[in-house]
Amino acid sequence: MAKRRIVLLGPPGAGKGTQAKRLVETTGLTHLSTGDILRDEVAHGTDLGNQAKAYMDRGDLVPDQLIIDMIRGRIETADGFILDGFPRTVAQAEALEKITPLDVVINIDLSRDEVIRRLSARRVCRSCGRIYNLLSNPPQVAGKCDVCGGELYQRDDDRPEVIKNRYDVYMASTAPLIKFYQDRGILVSTDGRRPTDEVFAQITAVISA
Ligand code: AP5
């Protein structure tokens, strides 16, 4: 596989986590999701989790320096990575450039209406983190994970008013990264409305080239 330092970019609900979890199975690369790391810190009541929680509950971004300090060591020690949810601001992207070069940034496009529809129907397994959707990918037994039988839950920030703020924050702070990486010649865009398998096939082709 040619590309080992990969960023998945896109609005909330575009499918970054869904695709990253599948790519980990086929590539063996390390999945680094700042959202998953932060939720784990919140669940364990750490200092970082306590600082981050209020931002996350509102759908606002956690301050750049907290995020950069949290992710730097994980990037430096990974033997190839898929970054999901980082960078999310130009300041984070500039910090990332100082930590490591990137091979490709894959931007998964999705409209605001589809973001709201999808995230309102998302459910996640509390035990293994598998992602479901009550509309497009429901579990076989309501409320239970197909793989491990764990309980499915709805994320605190998947409430309609928070989803709308997350999308606005994405447009203001993260969408400028599309041009940032276009200017560096490493951006590839994919249409996130297509079925999961089709998006996965395109991403696989891009990172294998
Ligand atoms: P984070 O957890 O990163 O949330 P996000 O970027 O808003 O992304 P999501 O996890 O909501 O969506 P996704 O693109 O992974 O979609 P998924 O695959 O689940 O961040 C949460 C919070 O943490 C932030 O708001 C912020 O406070 C903080 N934070 C995190 N990183 C930060 C940073 N770098 N700086 C500052 N703050 C930070 O899919 C969504 C749904 O759609 C699922 O139900 C799935 O089954 C379904 N689906 C996926 N693909 C398809 C498809 N092709 N067709 C149909 N349905 C699909």
Side-chain angles (χ1 to χ4, degrees):
M1 190 186 44
K3 299 188 176 64
R4 303 181 54 80
R5 294 166 300 191
I6 300 161
V7 167
L8 297 182
L9 199 62
K16 303 180 296 294
T18 299
Q19 296 298 334
K21 285 182 166 69
R22 287 187 66 171
L23 289 164
V24 164
E25 288 168 17
T26 55
T27 63
L29 297 173
T30 301
H31 178 199
L32 295 174
S33 159
T34 42
D36 286 351
I37 298 167
L38 287 168
R39 279 183 288 280
D40 196 52
E41 297 279 343
V42 171
H44 286 91
T46 65
D47 282 352
L48 172 58
N50 293 336
Q51 289 181 73
K53 187 174 185 324
Y55 295 99
M56 296 172 76
D57 285 348
R58 289 193 302 268
D60 290 336
L61 294 182
V62 175
D64 287 334
Q65 202 54 51
L66 287 178
I67 297 288
I68 293 162
D69 291 346
M70 174 183 91
I71 198 79
R72 178 193 305 276
R74 290 174 165 94
I75 294 171
E76 285 170 345
T77 53
D79 180 18
F81 53 76
I82 301 164
L83 279 172
D84 157 12
F86 178 86
R88 240 177 166 102
T89 62
V90 170
Q92 291 181 18
E94 287 171 348
L96 178 59
E97 283 189 321
K98 294 188 182 128
I99 300 171
T100 179
L102 298 173
D103 295 317
V104 68
V105 175
I106 296 168
N107 174 45
I108 309 178
D109 273 337
L110 203 66
S111 68
R112 182 178 186 274
D113 285 353
E114 186 63 15
V115 165
I116 294 169
R117 201 176 76 89
R118 271 197 197 171
L119 289 185
S120 305
R122 172 166 59 187
R123 299 293 183 273
V124 183
C125 175
R126 214 178 269 291
S127 304
C128 73
R130 193 177 172 90
I131 302 166
Y132 293 86
N133 193 282
L134 300 183
L135 303 173
S136 61
N137 176 29
Q140 284 166 12
V141 177
K144 294 256 181 263
C145 178
D146 295 348
V147 178
C148 74
E151 177 206 358
L152 303 189
Y153 79 105
Q154 183 165 28
R155 271 172 44 175
D156 289 342
D157 60 352
D158 278 350
R159 289 173 288 124
E161 65 280 13
V162 183
I163 296 170
K164 286 175 188 158
N165 186 45
R166 286 163 61 201
Y167 186 81
D168 290 345
V169 168
Y170 164 79
M171 289 304 287
S173 300
T174 310
L177 294 182
I178 294 172
K179 178 161 188 326
F180 182 95
Y181 287 118
Q182 261 167 354
D183 289 348
R184 282 152 180 76
I186 55 171
L187 188 92
V188 177
S189 280
T190 181
D191 181 354
R193 286 172 308 175
R194 292 175 306 150
T196 305
D197 287 351
E198 286 183 26
V199 177
F200 179 69
Q202 189 190 351
I203 295 175
T204 299
V206 167
I207 67 174
S208 305

